[in-house]
Amino acid sequence: MRILPKAAAAVLMASLCLPMASGAQQLPSAPIPYETLNPKAAPRAPARPRPAARPPSVPTTATAGTGVAGETPEGLAAPTLAPEQLEAYLDGVIGSAMARDRIAGVTVSVVQGGQVVLKKGYGHASLSPARLVDPDRTLFRIGSISKTFTWILLMNEIQAGRIRIDAPVNLYLPETLQVRDQGFAQPVEVAHLMDHSAGFEDRTLGQLMERDFNRERPIAQYLRQERPRRVREPGLFPTYSNYGVGLAGQALTYVTGQPFEELVETRITQPLGMTRTTFREPHPPRAGIPAPMPQALAQDVSEGFRWTAAGGFEARPFEYLGHLAPAGSASSTAADMARYMIVLLDDGAYGESRIFSPATARAFRTPLRPNEAGVNDWPHGFIAYALPGGRKGYGHAGGTLSFTSNMVVVPDLDLGVFVSVNTENGAELATRLPGAVVGQFFGPDQAPAQQGTPELARLGAMYNGHFLGTRRAYVGLERFVGFILAGVSVRVTPDGRLTTSGLAGTQTWVPDGDPAAGRFVSTTGSQRMAFMIENGKAHSFRGTFNDARFQRVGLWSQPQALAWLAALTILAAVSTLVGLALRNRRDLRQTQIQSQASLIQTIQAVLWLLAIGLFVSWVSGAGDTAKVVYTWPGVRMILASACALVASALTLATLASLISIWRGGRRLDSWPVLRKVGFTATTLIYAAFAVVLLHWGALTPWSS
């Protein structure tokens, strides 16, 4: 991806409570059954037996690889990872990725059987002064992995009976933060926040992250001022929402009377001994803002980097996310995340204490709303991963502008993998590494399918089309950018395979069963996608992570239509200005109305060229994703929109003048026919372009 697509990747990833007397979370003596926690779900089978509680210490690499292995899906004992072989493999994979993708630093940890098999740092955490990545000391931003801490705290309150999972979230929020109905009949429930089905639009630009601490706001103020629109009834389907997780964090604060950061510390990180994990950020103390990260941690936080066109790493300012801490402000080390994964695999047990109950552990592996499509079904806020060999993992990925992280635990293998990179270009490594480890050491049950089918080739009309994702803004200039970034084109090839093409690249799929059923598997791995089909036509689909629904759209919502109309507008505008310069005296004979219409169309030509030129200029500067997010919408985008708005408004005048233009006056005092045809064609092109821009939200310079 380049320029605007590169910005899209970061934007779309990012792409984010009763005080206890003792350190460990105390749960009810009689655990509440899972079916009580989630009365809408079907009963679940009993959890598999777990080993006895492990001691509250995480062995070093030297003692790793001696724990009890889990069970494979076939019921055979899972192989135990050998530290030396794992380290050699990771050295090769990570080293190659760092050189190929220009990654400054990586931190990784792998656990199995209650032991740390490997924890290791690669590259640099800072360049000036030079500081190497230390898996025990260096803190990386883990982004949306932060959400798993929020879900643990929330599920504990649900199990304690202080929050009901099927109750409206407004019951647990102060009046100023309650979700307004906005014309929708159904209230947003707690469960809707956990599987991202609340129905919010997703806004990112200009407010999700800050680089200037002076712009930081308390979370309650942020949630009040940046309230997204509700765009659909809750519970229909997931569309990832950082805002929804922020509401969950505030519900915890409202119910317990304890700030969110303190809740994490007293109920999770301190009891686990995760002394180098924090939701606090490095900044000066300020009233109304949570206390800063301790200096002993702040000095070990990795910088974030981007690889510049000049051929070097550029350090970026710290990315402030404290205003939405429950969704993404955590920083941690590979060693601390190893301890966290061991507890997740041991159903919340930590020594003689429990961070969460076995019922909660089952919930984190059980979907709130089951589906049979093979895609992520959001097991109570966690992500379900399809892994090689038909295995299933659980965890979460996380991305800021510079950091990308991934944490996956595989209960069947008693395995956990955590990886984080500190450079914008490292998303592919972080995304693929856990699955690569599983595939390398535990083996896929079969090679990915490669061949298409003649049956699918005959069904091209069912699937071919352009689909627009629901994870985007729905009004204003950000809607305009969302139309460009969130679109995916689907095509069936003559050899019976299906391709999806968007700004993230092109991927190839083959049918997973009956081609008419709408389920597909990637030709390069275990990813899946599922189409929803009505009346013989696919109207939408969901991808592996099921974080948005992609819905079929018509011609006027497709980038190709916008591009063609922009090209025609440029041609018409240039022709208008050239004609003005070359027109002879005979051609200057015109009625008063024709003279005024010509002046208006000349002004339009200048405005359209300015608008398109300013937008192209904005795109050319969008290679730095941080600049796009922090400075949105920026002077160039506002001016481009304003020029387009005025040009579009003037189109109303030229449209109204068409009848008078064609009537003209006497033959010698009026335009020739060819000029009338040219004026009419130009007016219609401008009108069509204006209508599409209005539909895309590009004519709202006042909206950021």
Side-chain angles (χ1 to χ4, degrees):
M1 297 182 295
R2 293 293 183 270
I3 305 178
L4 186 60
K6 201 170 188 179
V11 168
L12 296 181
M13 280 179 62
S15 138
L16 315 129
C17 313
L18 299 168
M20 308 303 296
S22 62
Q25 169 67 38
Q26 297 181 10
L27 300 170
S29 56
I32 300 176
Y34 168 74
E35 289 73 22
T36 304
L37 298 180
N38 182 15
K40 294 182 178 180
R44 304 297 299 172
R48 67 181 179 91
R50 301 290 300 173
R54 301 180 177 108
S57 62
V58 180
T60 63
T61 306
T63 61
T66 59
V68 177
E71 297 297 316
T72 68
E74 295 79 13
L76 300 176
T80 300
L81 285 173
E84 298 81 5
Q85 294 178 0
L86 176 64
E87 184 173 15
Y89 173 73
L90 292 180
D91 286 351
V93 171
I94 294 175
S96 296
M98 291 179 70
R100 180 188 66 243
D101 299 332
R102 301 291 193 268
I103 303 171
V106 180
T107 192
V108 63
S109 57
V110 179
V111 302
Q112 189 184 35
Q115 305 278 335
V116 176
V117 182
L118 176 74
K119 53 181 177 179
K120 191 168 183 177
Y122 298 82
H124 287 80
S126 68
L127 298 177
S128 182
R131 177 161 50 96
L132 297 177
V133 175
D134 184 335
D136 292 300
R137 295 190 58 84
T138 308
L139 283 76
F140 277 52
R141 307 304 304 280
I142 62 173
S144 289
I145 297 177
S146 307
K147 294 178 173 68
T148 63
F149 293 77
T150 303
W151 302 138
I152 287 172
L153 294 172
L154 184 60
M155 287 299 296
N156 284 346
E157 292 302 307
I158 290 169
Q159 183 165 18
R162 292 183 284 268
I163 292 178
R164 285 178 47 205
I165 197 169
D166 60 348
V169 69
N170 282 349
L171 295 178
Y172 312 109
L173 292 171
E175 191 278 332
T176 56
L177 298 183
Q178 289 180 1
V179 180
R180 299 166 183 169
D181 59 49
Q182 296 182 17
F184 292 95
Q186 299 299 318
V188 174
E189 299 176 358
V190 173
H192 297 143
L193 304 182
M194 301 188 79
D195 71 355
H196 299 276
S197 65
F200 297 129
E201 66 173 343
D202 185 51
R203 295 175 47 243
T204 298
L205 301 178
Q207 45 79 26
L208 183 61
M209 302 176 196
E210 299 288 355
R211 62 181 171 184
D212 182 359
F213 176 65
N214 293 323
R215 290 175 54 89
E216 270 293 87
R217 295 167 276 180
I219 183 172
Q221 181 181 349
Y222 173 86
L223 293 173
R224 186 175 66 254
Q225 294 177 342
E226 303 294 345
R227 193 188 306 268
R229 290 164 182 80
R230 295 178 63 181
V231 294
R232 68 186 66 85
E233 289 285 357
L236 294 181
F237 53 80
T239 295
Y240 196 81
S241 174
N242 288 296
Y243 184 89
V245 186
L247 287 181
Q250 279 301 96
L252 288 165
T253 293
Y254 188 67
V255 168
T256 66
Q258 191 173 0
F260 178 80
E261 290 79 4
E262 292 183 12
L263 275 172
V264 174
E265 291 162 355
T266 59
R267 301 189 180 188
I268 300 179
T269 59
Q270 290 175 4
L272 293 182
M274 295 173 66
T275 59
R276 303 189 69 78
T277 299
T278 180
F279 277 68
R280 301 182 187 276
E281 299 179 325
H283 56 72
R286 196 176 91 195
I289 300 293
M293 179 187 297
Q295 181 57 32
L297 300 183
Q299 66 186 10
D300 288 326
V301 174
S302 173
E303 289 184 305
F305 298 95
R306 69 181 290 257
W307 181 260
T308 67
F313 288 109
E314 176 185 84
R316 283 174 162 169
F318 188 87
E319 305 160 328
Y320 290 105
L321 270 163
H323 52 271
L324 202 53
S329 76
S331 302
S332 187
T333 65
D336 269 12
M337 292 306 295
R339 182 168 300 200
Y340 188 56
M341 290 188 292
I342 288 173
V343 172
L344 290 175
L345 286 164
D346 206 13
D347 291 352
Y350 185 67
E352 300 301 320
S353 303
R354 278 196 173 274
I355 304 305
F356 53 87
S357 73
T360 293
R362 290 196 297 274
F364 290 149
R365 299 166 193 171
T366 305
L368 275 160
R369 295 172 181 82
N371 67 70
E372 291 89 30
V375 299
N376 172 37
D377 45 26
W378 292 109
H380 292 73
F382 277 61
I383 294 175
Y385 291 80
L387 298 171
R391 296 180 174 88
K392 199 167 187 178
Y394 303 89
H396 216 290
T400 65
L401 296 174
S402 302
F403 293 80
T404 305
S405 306
N406 205 358
M407 178 193 73
V408 180
V409 297
V410 190
D412 289 325
L413 302 174
D414 212 7
L415 174 77
V417 180
F418 166 78
V419 59
S420 184
V421 302
N422 63 7
T423 311
E424 177 185 83
N425 299 337
E428 182 177 357
L429 171 63
T431 301
R432 295 182 180 275
L433 187 63
V437 170
V438 173
Q440 174 70 19
F441 292 97
F442 303 97
D445 55 354
Q446 58 185 18
Q450 298 288 337
Q451 301 300 319
T453 65
E455 293 82 2
L456 178 60
R458 290 192 290 268
L459 295 174
M462 175 184 289
Y463 297 106
N464 291 342
H466 190 77
F467 296 75
L468 188 61
T470 55
R471 191 183 174 190
R472 57 184 175 84
Y474 277 69
V475 297
L477 292 179
E478 197 169 352
R479 170 187 171 95
F480 175 62
V481 176
F483 264 54
I484 298 172
L485 302 185
V488 174
S489 292
V490 176
R491 291 289 180 271
V492 174
T493 64
D495 64 348
R497 295 190 292 178
L498 183 140
T499 64
T500 53
S501 302
L503 292 179
T506 299
Q507 193 164 358
T508 305
W509 311 77
V510 292
D512 185 17
D514 181 1
R519 297 182 185 175
F520 294 85
V521 62
S522 171
T523 60
T524 58
S526 53
Q527 290 182 308
R528 282 175 164 75
M529 64 186 301
F531 285 84
M532 279 56 73
I533 299 173
E534 288 183 0
N535 301 321
K537 202 170 190 67
H539 65 81
S540 61
F541 73 87
R542 46 190 166 171
T544 292
F545 291 109
N546 197 21
D547 59 343
R549 185 69 60 91
F550 291 82
Q551 301 170 322
R552 183 185 291 274
V553 293
L555 176 64
W556 301 118
S557 297
Q558 299 181 22
Q560 296 92 325
L562 182 72
W564 275 106
L565 284 172
L568 289 173
T569 298
I570 292 172
L571 178 63
V574 170
S575 299
T576 297
L577 297 179
V578 170
L580 183 66
L582 299 181
R583 196 165 290 124
N584 59 40
R585 294 184 61 187
R586 179 180 179 86
D587 292 334
L588 292 177
R589 295 173 180 175
Q590 55 193 352
T591 67
Q592 184 176 4
I593 290 178
Q594 289 172 340
S595 175
Q596 293 171 345
S598 176
L599 176 62
I600 292 174
Q601 200 165 77
T602 301
I603 294 172
Q604 282 182 291
V606 174
L607 289 172
W608 282 125
L609 291 175
L610 278 173
I612 295 172
L614 285 165
F615 176 71
V616 171
S617 175
W618 178 84
V619 168
S620 68
D624 185 348
T625 60
K627 186 177 180 181
V628 173
V629 173
Y630 292 140
T631 64
W632 174 259
V635 174
R636 284 177 292 183
M637 179 62 80
I638 291 176
L639 287 177
S641 177
C643 289
L645 176 63
V646 175
S648 299
L650 292 176
T651 301
L652 297 175
T654 54
L655 282 171
S657 69
L658 281 179
I659 294 178
S660 298
I661 292 295
W662 278 93
R663 284 178 179 171
R666 294 179 305 168
R667 182 176 64 84
L668 296 180
D669 295 326
S670 181
W671 290 349
V673 173
L674 284 180
R675 187 174 178 191
K676 292 178 181 178
V677 170
F679 179 91
T680 303
T682 298
T683 298
L684 295 177
I685 289 172
Y686 289 169
F689 193 40
V691 169
V692 171
L693 290 178
L694 178 65
H695 171 59
W696 283 47
L699 303 182
T700 54
W702 58 86
S703 172
S704 60

